[in-house]
Amino acid sequence: MTLQIRDDRARALARELATRRKVTMTEAVIQALEAELRREAEKEPLADRIARIAAIAAAESGPGGRAMTKDEIDEMWGH
């Protein structure tokens, strides 16, 4: 099966990558797609990233925190 790149921008990007890597355009496209698939597989889901950041923040804040004054709350909200 043949893959035809009809989009001018896609063709130019494939050609540029092939030139930089000194490979054929086909090999450049294969390498780029493989690299992108690896990145997707390694990507941490957003919910997991948020949970990790929240856990770090909770651990660093210590128990209970402190009460904020009305002035601090107003300043935080831009009042």
Side-chain angles (χ1 to χ4, degrees), residues 13-70:
L13 290 168
R15 185 175 292 118
E16 181 179 347
L17 184 59
T19 300
R20 287 181 183 203
R21 292 188 176 176
K22 295 179 174 56
V23 296
T24 66
M25 283 181 56
T26 300
E27 185 58 30
V29 170
I30 290 169
Q31 290 175 3
L33 292 171
E34 287 175 341
E36 198 59 29
L37 286 169
R38 272 192 308 276
R39 280 183 37 181
E40 285 294 320
E42 294 169 358
K43 195 183 291 186
E44 183 180 13
L46 179 59
D48 293 348
R49 289 180 15 223
I50 291 171
R52 182 174 45 80
I53 292 167
I56 292 168
E60 290 179 359
S61 69
R66 70 170 179 80
M68 293 179 71
T69 67
K70 181 177 181 337

